[in-house]
Amino acid sequence: MSRQVYLYDPPDRFVAGTVGLPGRRTFFLQASAAGRVTSVALEKTQVAALAERIDELLDEVVRRTGGNAPVPAVAPPDVADSAPLDAPVEEEFRVGTMALAWDGDEQRMIVEAQALVELDADTDEDLADAEERLLQDEENGPPMLRVRLSGSQARAFAKRALDVVNAGRPPCPLCSLPLDPEGHVCPRQNGYRRGA
């Protein structure tokens, strides 16, 4: 079976968002263009890492080009997107690996999110061989979302993604663990329940 690649070059919209209540949220990347929408699920830590890496890569592009690349220093307010995810949110796949690149010729950020794949391996050598085959197998690999963004779109994506990650449950002022609406067992209070 040939690989399914969901390509958005460029997307009308590319955002990180959530479905569910804080503490039970499912995180998604969602791309849309020309009436089609692709949503892929991932972990909160993956969203945070992606946003931070995008900002770092854009900062590096600005540094290497001496400020001549079409990349703003911060997310421009005119491209900010605070709207919820497009409904219905239907998961195409769960993200396993992600990759970023800067296309200097086209002045575009390339974001790739590849489906999580279970590798059968008995030894570390078998695992390394399976991973190498997976990376080389372009035609029959797992599904992938590939999005090409302008510098402004990439900055706006990163800002929103970090805002989404930080919009979860507030931290306990004593132990910094997340507070559920019904409270939590605080290790700093010797296990007594602390309310929200």
Side-chain angles (χ1 to χ4, degrees):
M1 185 170 130
S2 64
R3 166 181 255 175
Q4 175 71 43
V5 177
Y6 302 92
L7 177 63
Y8 291 85
D9 183 14
D12 293 337
R13 184 175 192 226
F14 180 58
V15 295
T18 61
V19 173
L21 298 172
R24 293 173 183 81
R25 298 185 296 171
T26 302
F27 288 78
F28 289 93
L29 298 180
Q30 189 177 75
S32 60
R36 68 186 179 106
V37 178
T38 302
S39 302
V40 296
L42 67 171
E43 298 297 322
K44 177 180 182 178
T45 55
Q46 289 175 297
V47 175
L50 178 61
E52 290 166 4
R53 257 322 267 136
I54 285 174
D55 272 338
E56 289 170 5
L57 183 55
L58 292 173
D59 290 344
E60 183 66 15
V61 167
V62 169
R63 188 186 67 73
R64 286 189 179 193
T65 63
N68 293 325
V71 176
V74 295
D78 60 319
V79 295
D81 183 344
S82 59
L85 295 174
D86 294 330
V89 178
E90 296 176 5
E91 178 183 323
E92 297 295 337
F93 59 84
R94 180 157 286 279
V95 175
T97 58
M98 295 182 291
L100 291 177
W102 178 259
D103 181 343
D105 295 334
E106 297 290 324
Q107 300 292 306
R108 293 281 185 255
M109 167 79 64
I110 302 166
V111 179
E112 291 182 349
Q114 183 173 284
L116 182 64
V117 176
E118 297 294 326
L119 298 175
D120 291 329
D122 296 328
T123 66
D124 287 344
E125 273 185 36
D126 291 343
L127 183 60
D129 289 342
E131 287 174 342
E132 186 65 29
R133 282 192 311 275
L134 181 63
L135 292 173
Q136 292 176 353
D137 193 3
E138 284 294 316
E139 187 176 313
N140 298 315
M144 175 192 301
L145 171 65
R146 180 178 293 143
V147 182
R148 296 174 57 87
L149 305 167
S150 69
S152 295
Q153 288 174 311
R155 283 282 191 212
F157 170 85
K159 180 181 182 327
R160 175 185 167 130
L162 288 173
D163 290 347
V164 165
V165 166
N166 293 326
R169 298 171 287 175
C172 172
L174 298 177
C175 69
S176 298
L177 292 173
L179 277 174
D180 290 321
E182 59 275 358
H184 79 286
V185 177
C186 182
R188 298 280 307 267
Q189 289 193 344
N190 293 326
Y192 287 100
R193 180 165 291 279
R194 177 160 175 80

